[in-house]
Amino acid sequence: MRIRRKPWARPELAECPFCIDDPENHIGHWHELFPKQQPLHLELGCGKGGFMAQKAVSNPDINFIAVDIKSDILGLTKRNIEKSYEEAGKETDNVRIFAYDIERILQVFDSNDVVDRIYINFCNPWTKRPKYAKRRLTHPRQLMQYREFLVDGGEIWFKTDDTALFTESLPYFEACGFELCYKTEDLHAAGVKPNYISEHEMKFTALGVPIKFARFAKKPGKVDIDPVRWVMPGAFAKLREDGDTEEE
């Protein structure tokens, strides 16, 4: 999804009390940015913030951090969160946001940050060419990084409208030491509650596209996998079939 440049975004974010402009300086100390010491949940690829704006204000006993790569879209996140908290008559004490490249997430989080849950909602599926799969937020390159700061037993909640991404992500999680706790290929039909619906989810639901959802728990212990060299079974056959074997 291409986001138009928003000249107002950076100035507004610079003045926003819950936006962090120097995330690398807070590695290992994220809990200290909140007035209350309570569980920490992290949304990776928050988009316009529709999910976080609802989730955070409804759960004051949890601290939340939302991350996206572009300041332009994070400006929309900021506005949506402000609106949600203003309507609820609450202060934004339990939510923080910042812009960062999630592929380098270990530059801003480490084991001292103790994240209890991660949300990955409607991330870029990267399905156009097989070799692009490594860019997915659910690829082993990323999942092994999340293991560094996700508490043992902590969960990753994953939602998508893309069938290929969902199906191909299941073995990613298994290979990286995550246990499948729940899975449905039609979230709304399954009646899972509560379900905080973003603009993206609303759009695809209106088009009749089932929303896929799964929860995975981090197993304790070391995982013996090289996430850079790991390939999904059958991947090379798929590359040969598509004629897409060149290196990038």
Side-chain angles (χ1 to χ4, degrees):
M1 178 176 64
R2 188 177 298 275
I3 299 297
R4 291 182 180 178
R5 185 174 181 278
K6 295 173 173 53
W8 53 265
R10 288 182 182 273
E12 282 196 20
L13 290 172
E15 298 296 324
C16 176
F18 58 89
C19 179
I20 308 302
D21 62 1
D22 57 346
E24 292 183 351
N25 290 334
H26 298 285
I27 185 170
H29 299 280
W30 284 102
H31 285 273
E32 299 171 16
L33 295 185
F34 297 91
K36 294 181 180 179
Q37 294 301 300
Q38 47 195 23
L40 179 61
H41 291 191
L42 171 65
E43 184 182 11
L44 298 174
C46 63
K48 297 178 181 179
F51 170 85
M52 184 55 65
Q54 300 172 70
K55 181 74 174 179
V57 76
S58 301
N59 294 271
D61 57 341
I62 299 171
N63 292 329
F64 294 90
I65 298 176
V67 185
D68 206 276
I69 193 170
K70 294 289 187 180
S71 294
D72 290 320
I73 197 166
L74 201 69
L76 296 172
T77 301
K78 174 253 185 190
R79 287 186 172 183
N80 283 327
I81 289 175
E82 284 180 332
K83 179 181 178 182
S84 181
Y85 276 78
E86 183 178 347
E87 291 176 348
K90 297 181 179 180
E91 298 292 328
T92 53
D93 292 338
N94 70 322
V95 63
R96 301 291 182 265
I97 63 175
F98 65 87
Y100 206 76
D101 180 359
I102 297 169
E103 289 189 4
R104 300 187 296 120
I105 196 68
L106 290 184
Q107 299 297 313
V108 290
F109 285 94
D110 67 16
S111 60
N112 294 310
D113 292 307
V114 192
V115 172
D116 296 275
R117 184 180 298 168
I118 295 173
Y119 302 98
I120 302 175
N121 298 318
F122 305 100
C123 63
N124 191 327
W126 292 107
T127 51
K128 186 175 181 180
R129 302 178 74 178
K131 69 178 181 179
Y132 291 163
K134 63 187 178 183
R135 301 177 182 176
R136 294 170 172 171
L137 294 186
T138 58
H139 191 273
R141 292 188 183 203
Q142 293 302 125
L143 294 178
M144 292 303 293
Q145 293 191 67
Y146 309 154
R147 286 187 63 89
E148 294 295 316
F149 52 82
L150 183 66
V151 67
D152 287 348
E155 294 187 345
I156 296 180
W157 289 27
F158 172 47
K159 282 203 292 188
T160 182
D161 57 278
D162 192 280
T163 300
L165 173 63
F166 188 72
T167 302
E168 294 172 15
S169 291
L170 298 178
Y172 296 166
F173 282 95
E174 181 180 5
C176 294
F178 289 88
E179 179 181 1
L180 178 63
C181 301
Y182 178 82
K183 174 174 75 85
T184 177
E185 296 190 5
D186 193 335
L187 177 62
H188 295 178
V192 176
K193 301 292 182 181
N195 180 37
Y196 301 100
I197 300 176
S198 65
E199 179 182 332
H200 186 103
E201 182 171 345
M202 190 180 303
K203 171 185 175 181
F204 280 88
T205 299
L207 293 173
V209 179
I211 304 302
K212 294 80 177 169
F213 172 71
R215 292 189 292 110
F216 304 88
K218 177 190 170 185
K219 298 178 184 178
K222 183 179 179 181
V223 176
D224 187 17
I225 178 179
D226 181 345
V228 176
R229 304 184 69 177
W230 184 88
V231 292
M232 189 164 60
F236 287 125
K238 177 65 175 174
L239 286 170
R240 286 194 296 271
E241 181 180 301
D242 294 345
D244 191 21
T245 57
E246 77 271 18
E247 293 292 330
E248 183 178 19

